[in-house]
Amino acid sequence: MTGRAGGDGERGAAADASAAPSQPGILTTSVVIPVKDDSQLLARCLRRLHAQQRPPDEIIVVDNGSSDASAAVARDAGARVLFCADPGISAAAATGYDAAVGDLILRLDADCEPDPAWVETITTAFAEDAGVSAITGRARFTDGPPALRVPLARLYLGAYTTLMGVTLGHPPLFGSNLAFRREAWHAVRDEVHRDPEMHDDLDLAFHLGAEHRIALLPGTAMGMSMRPFTSGRFGRRVHRGFRSVVVHWPHDFPPFRWRRLIARRVGRRRIRADIR
């Protein structure tokens, strides 16, 4: 386990609007985007967020030591800009989660292109099932060779979902299309690792999934770049994925984890039966 990530923030117009109290029964949203040297794709992502059928109440961009204009792009788009000096997506994302004020925290990356109904679909899913603490969705590639986009997306995400589902005993979280309740984050924030050599979404899945229910997001897939395959990063991602798993052993070695999860589910069923 690691300590809390630091960061100083600047509030834009979106942050001021999100500070107002929410209306009863309406879930407010904070979108968190960790970024480093990705100003052009970030600008596109922010345009897509501003074009949502239900715009987010707050957009937080966490600058993780950019040397380009990422922070200025975010500020000009009305986002709340935070700075995280600790290296890596894990620390940057956690900095944004800690600062979020919405009932729901939505996470995507700077290279993502959410469809116009993304925020509304997420808020509706949480509103309809109070027992769900986190939701994760699919993705599709928007660049790279057209003939490879669909098969590579299915292979990449299919392998991740299958292998990590067996490892975790429940659906894994996918950081480019992810949302969770702010109260659930505060329940696990001191347990998550903020290690630059780990996948933040997989680590979060280990901790959230231990006591909270994770569901799959209905609707269209998140558009994202094929950069994991085209920029020489795939081997590094595999290494980080392996590290993200074994760092939780032996406590979360699959048979031990499955036994605890099964016992918890049985216990909840008994409680519901007693209530009836």
Side-chain angles (χ1 to χ4, degrees), residues 11 14-22 57-58 101:
R11 288 183 178 270
D16 294 334
S18 68
S22 60
D57 297 282
E58 174 183 47
V101 299

Side-chain angles (χ1 to χ4, degrees), residues 149-194:
R149 293 177 187 177
V150 172
L152 277 181
R154 289 177 178 171
L155 176 63
Y156 177 52
L157 292 177
Y160 174 72
T161 300
T162 300
L163 292 175
M164 293 303 101
V166 171
T167 300
L168 293 165
H170 55 74
L173 298 174
F174 180 55
S176 294
N177 193 358
L178 166 64
F180 45 90
R181 298 184 191 272
R182 181 161 53 93
E183 60 192 31
W185 164 250
H186 283 282
V188 302
R189 64 178 300 279
D190 292 328
E191 301 172 8
V192 300
H193 298 76
R194 307 191 185 199

